[in-house]
Amino acid sequence: MSVAREYDAPGGIPGDTAGTPGRPHIPSPAQAPVQPTASDAASEVIRWAAFGCAVVPVVLLMCGLPVGGALGAGAGLAAVTAASRALLRHSERTAARLDADGVSPHRGRHGRTGIGAHRGGRRV
């Protein structure tokens, strides 16, 4: 005669032995959190900036600012956001190019290294 088995937890599966006293449940190993890349982080910042460009004029209108002032503030924020995006993308491309070339960045005006007669020594 077959006896119906009770579930160990709400939503449990009949016949699942994970919660039975003789067999403890072994959780699966935790996965390491995924770190966003620089490009993802920059995209996230730009998305929030664009959201701010849309929300600020609405809030200014609700506070009683004239339509022209609210639109002007929104346009100014949009210009700053666009400039910031351009600078972020340029910086990402430059960093990627330096990584790909394996070249160190420019070292200064004359580009020489080391110590020598022209590196702050006494002149007679």
Side-chain angles (χ1 to χ4, degrees), residues 14-102:
D16 185 19
T17 59
T20 58
R23 299 179 75 191
H25 176 69
I26 301 172
S28 61
Q31 294 181 357
V34 177
Q35 294 292 331
T37 63
S39 180
D40 291 342
S43 296
E44 187 73 17
V45 168
I46 297 300
R47 270 189 237 117
W48 277 108
F51 175 72
C53 290
V55 169
V56 166
V58 172
V59 171
L60 290 175
L61 286 173
M62 289 178 11
C63 290
L65 200 69
V67 175
L71 291 177
L77 284 173
V80 169
T81 300
S84 299
R85 181 180 185 272
L87 289 172
L88 275 168
R89 297 298 179 211
H90 176 70
S91 137
E92 286 176 348
R93 284 192 306 267
T94 302
R97 190 182 70 232
L98 287 176
D99 285 345
D101 293 343

